[in-house]
Amino acid sequence: MLISLRIENFALIDCLDLDFGPSLNVFTGETGAGKSIILDAIDAVLGGKVDRRSIRTGAARAILEATFELDKAAALWLGEQEIEPIDGNLAVCSREINASSGALRSRSRLNGILVNRQLMDQLRDRLVEITAQGQTVHLGQETLQREWLDLYGGKKLAEARSTITTAWIEANSAKTALKRRRQSEQQRLQRLDLLEYQVRELSEANIENSDELAHLEQESIRLGHIVELQQQSYKVHQALYQNDGDTASAADLLSKAEEILSDMAVYDAQLHPILEMVSDALAQATEASRQISSYGEQLEADPERLEEVEDRIRELKQICRKYGPLSEAITYYQSIQNELNELLEGGESMEALELAYQTALEQLKDACSHLTTLRREAALKLETHLVGELKPLAMEKVQFQVEISPCTPTATGADQIAFCFSPNPGEPLQPLGAIASGGEMSRFLLAIKACFSQIESAGTLIFDEIDTGVSGRVASAIAKKLYQLSDKHQVLCVTHQPLIAAMADFHFRVNKQTIEAEPSIEEPAANSEPVERTVVRVAALNSEQRREELAQLASGRSATEAIAFAESLLVEAAGLRQTQSAQP
């Protein structure tokens, strides 16, 4: 429900604050007084289209702000968008429209949070239903017509829709799995061939140790230099311990030094540490000579082993060229073994996937068939009900039919829904959006809202001059319908009919006034004289003011007879309200 609306520098409105009531709110005023601007502002603050003319002449920006009281569903939806309602059930929608540097920009906020157009559109659908002159309305959309029919069908149809959604998801999932399997079968076989070859190659290479190649290369170098190693080890042994030439070995020299130091230490105890170091060096030289001698004796040329090592090195290097270093090749080998096993298992067979899809498709078709039956039953009831609501609205000869034709199954069923309409005798039924005029569309919406008033959640319905061109009898019927709707919905209505205005719970008069104002930013700087500006003013009327306004609507003047007529309208409206309230 719309609680309040603040408008600043929008079209002809300089500044306006309005508070609305929960039931029937009516706007009256002369033609061109600016009543539709109020509705345009509501449309704009909820993301509707704006242009440069939306900003009041002389102003740089327009500001709109609307406060709505949310029902439980709308408050829950808002929470799902991670925007908390204010005080638990309020939404404050604001929009700032700027015209600068030749460009028009606007920003929308919801409870102070910057939001995009898409989110505002979704919120708009949950808050208001606007039908305005010159505005393309939602009535011609087959999607909305289907939703209306399903809503009219009640709980059974809603449950069938839920079943359809589940069945469609399962069928679509099965179809996707089958399609993916068909598309990937060739790639799977190609991948399988490649992996089988690579696994076989790596398996035959028997790679397990990532350091094997480095070890083999060291071994290859050693085996290729056996003779040199033997000769050098003998020379080292001679140098350390046993030299057959004239030169003394290291052990001989260390032994001689140890002997001299021993004699010296008899006279000076400070030489004992040096003597120990020389003794240790002699022991280490002796041990080193023993080990190098043993090493040289064990060396033996092995051409066969050298050939084996070199062959293995070549094999491992070939693997490394194809799969990277041995550590990476080993990791890759392990991964493709797992992938190969998965491919060999193959998941479900093509036949199993085909069967699963056909089964899911049959279940979807059965669910769609059941839904179609329920929709046809609901369509017959809606046709009768809606025609009954339309006839009092100057549509005595109206024809209405819900056409249900088959289409490809979707999450909403296998039915294409079209509301077909003929307002005049002898004219064939045609799609509603193709032939209905603006006035007919408005009255159709009024009638269909009357059909749904008992089952649809509360919201705000906005009608712009749905009474255009109708007689007093029809105006009375429209007034009753509006009052009936206002029992479940907040209704905002622009009207020229005094009887409809008399039914209002809250009556607003809209008029234009000429005021003196400061020169606009577009005026030449030299012109500083006050200028006349046109502004729109809106006033909430009390009982006495309402009689005056109804008299103006009835006769264009507030003479005594017109006042008496206005009073009779208020009495008649009170009687209509009492009659409507008494109806179940």
Side-chain angles (χ1 to χ4, degrees):
M1 181 181 77
L2 177 60
I3 297 176
S4 64
L5 177 66
R6 183 170 69 88
I7 306 173
E8 183 178 329
N9 293 327
F10 182 79
L12 292 177
I13 298 176
D14 54 352
C15 186
L16 183 63
D17 285 282
L18 290 176
D19 294 322
F20 300 98
S23 45
L24 180 56
N25 298 259
V26 167
F27 295 88
T28 58
E30 295 181 1
T31 300
K35 301 180 293 297
S36 294
I37 296 177
I38 310 298
L39 306 188
D40 291 342
I42 298 173
D43 176 60
V45 78
L46 292 172
K49 186 177 180 180
V50 295
D51 54 31
R52 294 186 64 87
R53 290 176 297 178
S54 301
I55 302 177
R56 186 168 180 261
T57 302
R61 65 175 183 172
I63 298 176
L64 305 170
E65 182 178 284
T67 301
F68 290 88
E69 182 179 347
L70 306 175
D71 59 19
K72 290 183 179 179
L76 179 62
W77 176 85
L78 195 64
E80 291 173 351
Q81 312 311 308
E82 298 183 352
I83 301 176
E84 288 300 320
I86 297 175
D87 295 334
N89 66 340
L90 295 182
V92 178
C93 306
S94 63
R95 188 174 186 184
E96 181 179 320
I97 309 164
N98 289 280
S100 60
S101 304
L104 187 71
R105 294 183 176 86
S106 73
R107 292 184 297 179
S108 294
R109 285 184 170 84
L110 182 54
N111 290 352
I113 298 174
L114 202 64
V115 295
N116 57 28
R117 173 72 178 274
Q118 182 181 8
L119 190 140
M120 289 303 299
D121 286 343
Q122 294 174 9
L123 179 64
R124 173 199 184 99
D125 293 339
R126 289 165 169 79
L127 295 181
V128 301
E129 178 76 50
I130 300 177
T131 172
Q133 289 183 329
Q135 187 178 32
T136 301
V137 220
H138 304 312
L139 286 175
Q141 298 178 359
E142 293 186 357
T143 300
L144 181 60
Q145 294 173 2
R146 182 185 63 236
E147 294 302 321
W148 269 343
L149 177 62
D150 290 351
L151 179 62
Y152 192 80
K155 184 178 179 181
K156 286 179 62 177
L157 210 151
E159 291 174 349
R161 272 282 297 267
S162 178
T163 302
I164 288 285
T165 301
T166 302
W168 183 83
I169 291 174
E170 292 177 354
N172 196 51
S173 177
K175 180 181 180 180
T176 301
L178 179 60
K179 183 179 179 180
R180 186 184 300 116
R181 179 61 183 273
R182 285 172 174 169
Q183 290 177 342
S184 66
E185 185 63 17
Q186 182 178 3
Q187 291 88 338
R188 189 186 76 88
L189 293 175
Q190 292 174 349
R191 181 66 175 167
L192 189 61
D193 286 344
L194 175 62
L195 292 182
E196 286 178 338
Y197 170 78
Q198 291 181 336
V199 166
R200 183 170 59 252
E201 181 179 42
L202 291 171
S203 175
E204 291 173 354
N206 191 28
I207 53 174
E208 295 179 356
N209 185 356
S210 59
D211 295 326
E212 182 184 4
L213 181 59
H215 293 161
L216 288 174
E217 288 177 336
Q218 288 294 326
E219 184 178 0
S220 174
I221 294 172
R222 185 179 65 83
L223 290 173
H225 295 80
I226 288 292
V227 175
E228 291 89 337
L229 289 173
Q230 287 176 334
Q231 293 174 350
Q232 296 298 332
S233 63
Y234 178 71
K235 290 180 180 179
V236 171
H237 173 70
Q238 284 187 318
L240 288 174
Y241 188 75
Q242 186 177 0
N243 194 342
D244 296 335
D246 297 333
T247 305
S249 67
D252 292 338
L253 295 174
L254 287 171
S255 178
K256 182 65 175 177
E258 180 185 35
E259 181 181 348
I260 295 171
L261 282 170
S262 295
D263 292 340
M264 293 172 66
V266 172
Y267 304 105
D268 190 349
Q270 294 182 23
L271 296 175
H272 282 294
I274 300 175
L275 175 61
E276 289 178 3
M277 286 190 291
V278 173
S279 297
D280 291 341
L282 175 60
Q284 290 178 359
T286 303
E287 177 61 23
S289 67
R290 186 190 65 79
Q291 291 187 16
I292 195 66
S293 176
S294 176
Y295 168 80
E297 291 173 357
Q298 293 175 5
L299 288 175
E300 183 178 353
D302 192 347
E304 293 182 0
R305 174 56 184 168
L306 178 59
E307 185 177 357
E308 288 178 6
V309 169
E310 290 178 345
D311 288 344
R312 180 61 173 168
I313 289 174
R314 283 191 292 271
E315 181 182 16
L316 292 180
K317 285 187 175 180
Q318 178 67 16
I319 293 294
C320 292
R321 281 193 292 269
K322 296 178 68 174
Y323 302 104
L326 279 183
S327 58
E328 295 181 10
I330 292 171
T331 301
Y332 179 70
Y333 177 46
Q334 294 169 347
S335 68
I336 63 173
Q337 280 182 309
N338 295 331
E339 185 180 352
L340 180 60
N341 291 334
E342 292 176 1
L343 288 176
L344 289 173
E345 291 173 1
E348 292 185 82
S349 67
M350 190 80 74
E351 293 76 11
L353 291 173
E354 185 78 46
L355 178 60
Y357 171 59
Q358 291 300 327
T359 301
L361 187 60
E362 288 301 319
Q363 292 175 348
L364 175 60
K365 289 180 178 178
D366 290 343
C368 287
S369 177
H370 177 60
L371 179 62
T372 300
T373 300
L374 294 178
R375 279 174 170 165
R376 293 191 184 281
E377 294 173 358
L380 292 175
K381 295 178 182 179
L382 180 60
E383 289 167 358
T384 302
H385 192 173
L386 189 59
V387 169
E389 296 286 352
L390 284 169
K391 284 184 175 181
L393 303 177
M395 293 185 173
E396 292 84 355
K397 304 297 183 180
V398 68
Q399 298 179 67
F400 172 71
Q401 182 177 336
V402 180
E403 285 193 356
I404 302 177
S405 53
C407 65
T408 303
T410 67
T412 59
D415 303 314
Q416 185 172 344
I417 309 296
F419 284 6
C420 293
F421 178 75
S422 174
N424 304 308
E427 294 298 322
L429 288 163
Q430 295 188 45
L432 176 66
I435 65 164
S437 65
E440 289 167 344
M441 280 286 206
S442 297
R443 280 177 280 168
F444 187 94
L445 181 60
L446 180 59
I448 204 165
K449 287 300 179 182
C451 292
F452 284 95
S453 61
Q454 299 301 318
I455 57 176
E456 207 171 38
S457 61
T460 299
L461 306 179
I462 300 176
F463 300 97
D464 187 4
E465 299 187 11
I466 62 172
D467 53 9
T468 301
V470 300
S471 65
R473 177 180 62 85
V474 177
S476 177
I478 290 176
K480 291 177 183 178
K481 285 286 189 294
L482 289 172
Y483 186 79
Q484 177 187 349
L485 285 174
S486 70
D487 185 49
K488 295 289 184 181
H489 304 263
Q490 181 190 45
V491 177
L492 275 61
C493 178
V494 171
T495 183
H496 290 286
Q497 288 289 342
L499 183 55
I500 294 177
M503 291 290 289
D505 297 292
F506 303 90
H507 191 162
F508 301 90
R509 179 175 58 211
V510 184
N511 69 319
K512 287 180 181 176
Q513 297 180 8
T514 302
I515 63 172
E516 286 191 353
E518 295 296 324
S520 72
I521 59 175
E522 298 176 356
E523 295 290 331
N527 184 5
S528 59
E529 295 295 325
V531 295
E532 289 188 343
R533 297 295 304 276
T534 301
V535 295
V536 171
R537 294 287 184 256
V538 181
L541 304 182
N542 57 30
S543 299
E544 183 62 32
Q545 291 169 330
R546 288 192 71 194
R547 280 193 291 271
E548 290 281 343
E549 181 68 8
L550 292 175
Q552 288 285 343
L553 289 174
S555 65
R557 62 185 185 279
S558 57
T560 303
E561 291 182 0
I563 292 293
F565 178 66
E567 290 178 347
S568 70
L569 288 179
L570 291 171
V571 172
E572 182 180 355
L576 287 174
R577 284 198 295 268
Q578 186 175 2
T579 301
Q580 289 295 118
S581 300
Q583 292 179 356

